[in-house]
Amino acid sequence: MASSGPEEGTASVESASGESSRSWPAGPSSGAGPSRRPLLSSQGEEEAEADPLPAQYPSHLGAVRGRDKVALYCDRLLRGCKAEDANEAMSKYLLEKLKMKEKWLGVWKTNPELFFINSEDVLIPFVGILVEVTCKPSQSTSSHLKASISVAEPFSSNIANIPRELVDNVLEELDHCVPLLEIYPVEGQDMVVFDIAQALDVVRFFYDFLWRDWDEDESCETYAALVEERIKLWCDIENGIIPAPIGQRFRKKLEKYKNMHLELIQYQSNIKEEPTAEEAVECWKKYYELVMLCGLLKIWEDLRLRAHGPLTPRILRRRRGHRDDGKAVTHIVAKTMTAEMVKDFSVDTLLQQHDNLNMALDSCYSGDSVVIFPGEYKAVNLSMLTEDIIIQGAGKPEEIVIVSESTHESFVVSKAQNVKLMHLTLVQQGTVDGIVVIESGHMTFVNCILKCEGTGVCVLTGASLTITNSEITGAQGAGVELHPGSTAILEGNKIHHCNNFKTSESSQGALGGINIKVVPVPKLKMKNNHIYSNNGYGVTILQPTDQLSTTGGILEFTASGDAEEDMLSKLMHELSLEMSSNTLDDIKGLSIVNS
């Protein structure tokens, strides 16, 4: 959704190469929409520059609480209607506002593809034009309401060098009719226009975040309940209950679905006659890809499964197991190998030298070891650990640094029975999963530094984790996240500067350094750990609730009374939570969060 609000600056359009881009369409097209034309000559009279765009009414829904959004959409606008009636309900609501004012000023924000031949080279998110809007009450209730527009005076745009003639030509091709949701009313008009701006905001939010293309095909008798779940999902992303990288991943997948759906429709519409065999195959291929992505998004939206994104396996590699001869190999990772580097290995050790970590991991069988000498490395194969191996640094952990590959969604992912990482520093950059995800089996960290950017270490259902004498920092959420039925042993660790949400201060401190989801109960043993005050709560236990809340209710436990001690002791026993000699540095200790 294009942003509105503060006054937007005016810029001259240039291509990515820095050259002035004057790739304007030259006249009417014979197709269904405007066609892009070859470059026009830049010679001739100099065009007068467009004025900057006036400020538009800012979006108000960001400040509306989750409960109030539920009341607005579920109780007022949809009123218990079925999914197939939702479009008509939203259109009816919008038309009620529009009939109060026939003409008003707004900014039309549209795709640069409408104006540029090579729109991917244009470094602007949209083309904005100040227009006068004419709304006719006789429009039918449709999900794609149109508005009649004309260029307003003075001629204004976010592109200083856009020709007025070009804009007139494009509007001629569109018959001066554009989607109403592409128009953002400008400030300084009367209260009726202000109400129209808010109504447009409400409808945009519905189609951007709450409506799904597959809704009409679902036999859902309680559509309002489904919308309520999606509102909670949106609130959890905005407030940081679901960390920002995971929320970004969800939005990317949803955007990908919308684009693929549009591609399928366009592909089908371009088949004029009986489709050929190749066209039929391609059409079915696009359809099944769309169905699979739809299923993934449905799983993600399930409130019981979405906290870590869709719980589909991230590792599809088959496990090799041990070598047929039963021998184990030690893989040396270094640019060059000298006798001094391997003097501490026994004479019968089988050695293989690799100049990059990725090749070493690709060569491993169960029982092998990988020894990494000082340097900085990248390895996408860390996201596909299936063998029982040991990966260790030959030196201090600060000297052996492994940085994530930003083009991949995952950094370290394991489903091996037993993987051990020692004396390493992991630096997460750009990946959207947790810095480490343990899908199944057991993973051990010894004397490691984990510099997170996502959700910390995530231990999924049935998996187990042991961390000793290590450091976890920087997570946008809990440093360690235990899913139902998981097990973890933490001893002698430092967990600090986690829970670094970038979305809402209200959610900071709600999850704490360690986050436990309790159905079925995970098992946690902690000893001699230091959890710092900059994490908020030290340990947070999330228990299910039917209530809609962005942060939930928090109960604090201290040792000030017998009743509180008994309650805490019972809770720790039920959760298999064992804590001894831990330092919770100036923080609130243990909390329970309803989620």
Side-chain angles (χ1 to χ4, degrees):
M1 181 170 60
S3 63
S4 60
E7 182 176 335
E8 292 148 17
T10 305
S12 296
V13 174
E14 293 185 349
S15 67
S17 63
E19 298 177 353
S20 179
S21 179
R22 287 263 181 154
S23 45
W24 316 113
S29 67
S30 57
S35 63
R36 295 173 292 177
R37 298 290 190 258
L39 289 170
L40 296 176
S41 172
S42 59
Q43 298 176 354
E45 291 187 18
E46 189 68 26
E47 293 277 355
E49 287 196 349
D51 287 354
L53 290 173
Q56 301 103 63
Y57 287 109
S59 173
H60 72 290
L61 283 175
V64 177
R65 296 182 306 170
R67 292 182 182 276
D68 294 333
K69 284 188 177 74
V70 171
L72 172 63
Y73 287 99
C74 301
D75 301 336
R76 179 183 166 194
L77 299 182
L78 299 177
R79 294 180 180 176
C81 68
K82 295 182 180 180
E84 57 265 30
D85 303 323
N87 286 328
E88 184 176 353
M90 299 307 296
S91 299
K92 182 179 179 181
Y93 160 73
L94 194 53
L95 287 173
E96 285 294 320
K97 301 291 183 180
L98 293 171
K99 70 181 182 181
M100 304 300 295
K101 186 92 171 180
E102 185 176 350
K103 293 182 181 292
W104 42 274
L105 295 177
V107 173
W108 173 41
K109 298 183 180 182
T110 190
N111 196 317
E113 288 183 1
L114 212 56
F115 294 88
F116 297 94
I117 290 177
N118 298 315
S119 60
E120 62 274 8
D121 293 336
V122 180
L123 306 178
I124 54 171
F126 63 89
V127 174
I129 306 293
L130 179 65
V131 296
E132 183 181 62
V133 183
T134 302
C135 294
K136 299 177 180 178
S138 59
Q139 295 181 84
S140 62
T141 55
S142 166
S143 61
H144 302 288
L145 289 169
K146 298 281 186 176
S148 178
I149 63 171
S150 58
V151 178
E153 299 296 342
F155 178 58
S156 306
S157 175
N158 61 328
I159 304 172
N161 61 340
I162 189 170
R164 170 69 178 265
E165 182 183 0
L166 165 70
V167 177
D168 291 336
N169 287 342
V170 170
L171 287 178
E172 285 282 344
E173 292 177 338
L174 295 172
D175 198 24
H176 289 267
C177 240
V178 300
L180 189 57
L181 296 184
E182 291 184 0
I183 303 174
Y184 295 76
V186 300
E187 291 182 343
Q189 303 178 78
D190 58 29
M191 286 302 298
V192 176
V193 180
F194 175 76
D195 289 342
I196 291 174
Q198 290 203 327
L200 287 168
D201 197 25
V202 167
V203 177
R204 278 193 210 98
F205 181 86
F206 176 78
Y207 286 110
D208 285 345
F209 300 109
L210 305 181
W211 172 256
R212 306 288 184 262
D213 291 324
W214 63 76
D215 283 351
E216 288 186 339
D217 300 327
E218 298 289 325
S219 56
C220 181
E221 295 294 331
T222 56
Y223 183 62
L226 183 60
V227 170
E228 183 174 344
E229 290 182 3
R230 289 173 182 165
I231 292 173
K232 177 164 173 55
L233 175 62
W234 183 87
C235 290
D236 285 353
I237 291 174
E238 290 297 306
N239 292 310
I241 301 300
I242 295 176
I246 303 301
Q248 291 167 9
R249 184 181 182 190
F250 172 77
R251 284 172 171 164
K252 285 180 180 179
K253 295 293 184 185
L254 185 58
E255 188 65 27
K256 181 180 179 180
Y257 174 87
K258 291 178 179 179
N259 292 336
M260 288 176 62
H261 187 256
L262 184 60
E263 287 176 11
L264 177 60
I265 293 174
Q266 290 175 340
Y267 187 82
Q268 291 173 327
S269 63
N270 289 333
I271 301 175
K272 303 301 181 183
E273 300 176 354
E274 188 71 21
T276 64
E278 291 79 7
E279 289 174 333
V281 169
E282 184 65 20
C283 194
W284 278 107
K285 179 183 175 183
K286 291 180 180 292
Y287 172 75
Y288 279 115
E289 287 176 350
L290 196 66
V291 169
M292 292 179 66
L293 188 55
C294 172
L296 187 67
L297 287 166
K298 287 180 180 178
I299 291 173
W300 207 327
E301 288 184 344
D302 190 318
L303 292 179
R304 294 166 296 172
L305 300 178
R306 75 172 194 272
H308 189 263
L311 299 182
T312 54
R314 287 155 175 77
I315 300 179
L316 302 177
R317 174 184 291 179
R318 184 184 295 274
R319 178 180 168 88
R320 290 176 174 176
H322 293 271
R323 288 182 175 82
D324 293 338
D325 58 11
K327 295 181 179 180
V329 173
T330 297
H331 303 267
I332 305 296
V333 182
K335 294 297 182 183
T336 58
M337 187 169 68
T338 64
E340 180 69 19
M341 294 167 64
V342 297
K343 67 178 183 178
D344 294 331
F345 292 98
S346 62
V347 294
D348 59 346
T349 302
L350 298 176
L351 299 176
Q352 285 186 13
Q353 188 263 330
H354 308 270
D355 59 6
N356 71 73
L357 179 56
N358 216 42
M359 291 178 61
L361 293 171
D362 199 42
S363 303
C364 281
Y365 286 77
S366 287
D368 287 1
S369 297
V370 179
V371 179
I372 310 172
F373 281 81
E376 183 174 306
Y377 302 88
K378 289 188 177 183
V380 296
N381 280 334
L382 280 173
S383 64
M384 297 178 287
L385 296 176
T386 58
E387 309 304 322
D388 301 338
I389 59 176
I390 297 174
I391 306 172
Q392 66 182 82
K396 297 179 181 179
E398 296 86 352
E399 299 173 337
I400 300 96
V401 180
I402 305 175
V403 182
S404 65
E405 186 65 64
S406 59
T407 57
H408 288 69
E409 290 186 342
S410 303
F411 186 10
V412 179
V413 185
S414 173
K415 67 173 185 180
Q417 294 178 7
N418 199 357
V419 172
K420 191 172 188 178
L421 278 70
M422 305 169 62
H423 317 305
L424 302 170
T425 294
L426 302 180
V427 180
Q428 184 183 24
Q429 294 179 352
T431 56
V432 296
D433 277 337
I435 189 170
V436 176
V437 178
I438 309 171
E439 288 189 358
S440 61
H442 180 245
M443 177 171 272
T444 301
F445 290 89
V446 178
N447 191 29
C448 290
I449 300 172
L450 278 61
K451 297 183 178 181
C452 311
E453 192 179 71
T455 55
V457 181
C458 301
V459 189
L460 302 189
T461 301
S464 59
L465 166 72
T466 299
I467 306 182
T468 58
N469 302 322
S470 297
E471 181 180 353
I472 302 174
T473 181
Q476 291 187 35
V480 178
E481 182 173 295
L482 303 181
H483 283 246
S486 60
T487 303
I489 299 174
L490 278 62
E491 184 170 350
N493 303 293
K494 295 180 180 180
I495 303 175
H496 61 93
H497 289 93
C498 294
N499 201 14
N500 290 331
F501 295 123
K502 299 179 180 179
T503 50
S504 173
E505 292 185 1
S506 65
S507 59
Q508 292 190 15
L511 295 184
I514 301 169
N515 173 13
I516 305 172
K517 299 176 171 68
V518 299
V519 179
V521 294
K523 298 178 181 179
L524 171 63
K525 181 179 180 180
M526 296 176 60
K527 183 178 180 181
N528 297 327
N529 298 286
H530 193 161
I531 304 175
Y532 290 75
S533 59
N534 41 42
N535 295 310
Y537 287 94
V539 178
T540 304
I541 300 165
L542 277 78
Q543 58 184 6
T545 179
D546 295 330
Q547 299 176 353
L548 180 70
S549 175
T550 56
T551 58
I554 298 177
L555 302 177
E556 299 178 27
F557 291 91
T558 65
S560 60
D562 294 338
E564 291 170 330
E565 287 181 352
D566 291 343
M567 185 180 298
L568 177 57
S569 175
K570 180 180 179 182
L571 179 62
M572 291 172 64
H573 175 73
E574 290 176 349
L575 290 173
S576 298
L577 179 62
E578 185 178 332
M579 302 173 65
S580 61
S581 304
N582 296 285
T583 302
L584 276 61
D585 182 14
D586 191 29
I587 58 179
K588 301 174 184 177
L590 179 70
S591 72
I592 300 177
V593 179
N594 295 318
S595 66

